[in-house]
Amino acid sequence: SLICSTLKYIYQGKKSLFTKTFLFDKIAWDNYNFPIIYLDLSVGSSSENLNKNLIEELIEVYHEYINDPIEVVDEDSMGVFKKILKYFRKNDQQIVIIMDEYDVPLNDNYNNEALYETNLNMLTNFFRTLKSYEVVIKKCFVTGVSRLGLSKVFSGANNFTDISFTQKYACLCGLTENEFSLNYSEFIQRAADEYQISREEFIPLFLKFYNGFSFNGKDKLINPYSTNLFFKENKFLLV
């Protein structure tokens, strides 16, 4: 979700949000001002709720960028989606689509075959629609716990690239030890002082609890959210 939000603000050209970051002087910000369709599928697992949530989020997008009135026919979320895509195609304008946790409506319903199939068909139609309008789409970024190649959702959209275990992006979803030491230096020293140990002793102690995942089997990453929680109180939360 943090990556999705970051991408959203990058493609919206929110340069001021990236002051003192690596990206600040690396991007031609004047070229980044794309309309964003941001969809969060972490809520609304039933077919009725999934369709309703998609309609609500898409209607919000529609009114943000399009002044024309809109009529939703038969509670059809795909109908709203196509109207948005047709508008930008007509105006020769590219957009960015970000979908977070695409597979929640499927994973939450593995034991309900009928509901699972309904949601599967709805999402499959969504991504087929993307392929039909790919000329409009600058970028489309999708997150989930199920790999794209193992999901029938993308059977109608073969223009996606699965970067889950790509070496180039192996350190994207977390902090390396070097990034941790560099960017949290002040906090590390405060915590070390509180535990009455040296900085050199504190870092391996911290990594013992928080340096826990890897996407390439080589580079271990630290969870940024857990790191921030720790430094909020300088306390190891052990279960």
Side-chain angles (χ1 to χ4, degrees), residues 112-166:
N112 186 331
E113 184 176 353
L115 188 51
Y116 179 92
E117 289 298 325
T118 300
N119 285 347
L120 176 63
N121 290 334
M122 193 180 305
L123 291 172
T124 301
N125 288 335
F126 180 92
F127 287 105
R128 281 177 178 165
T129 300
L130 286 184
K131 184 172 176 60
S132 300
Y133 289 87
E134 60 184 352
V135 66
V136 176
I137 301 167
K138 173 67 175 179
K139 293 289 181 182
C140 180
F141 185 77
V142 181
T143 74
V145 298
S146 304
R147 293 195 66 181
L148 306 190
L150 301 178
S151 176
K152 294 181 180 179
V153 169
F154 298 92
S155 60
N158 57 4
N159 52 344
F160 279 83
T161 300
D162 186 351
I163 66 171
S164 303
F165 297 100
T166 302

Side-chain angles (χ1 to χ4, degrees), residues 104-117 119:
V104 167
L106 303 178
N107 295 335
D108 282 358
N109 294 291
Y110 271 133
N111 296 324
N112 186 331
E113 184 176 353
L115 188 51
Y116 179 92
E117 289 298 325
N119 285 347

Side-chain angles (χ1 to χ4, degrees), residues 147-203:
R147 293 195 66 181
L148 306 190
L150 301 178
S151 176
K152 294 181 180 179
V153 169
F154 298 92
S155 60
N158 57 4
N159 52 344
F160 279 83
T161 300
D162 186 351
I163 66 171
S164 303
F165 297 100
T166 302
Q167 180 62 35
K168 181 179 179 180
Y169 303 105
C171 297
L172 178 64
C173 297
L175 301 166
T176 63
E177 182 178 342
N178 183 58
E179 290 170 335
F180 170 70
S181 300
L182 179 64
N183 295 291
Y184 286 84
S185 181
E186 181 180 342
F187 296 96
I188 291 171
Q189 189 59 58
R190 288 180 188 174
D193 292 343
E194 186 169 326
Y195 279 86
Q196 297 183 335
I197 58 178
S198 69
R199 174 190 176 92
E200 290 70 25
E201 291 172 314
F202 172 79
I203 291 178

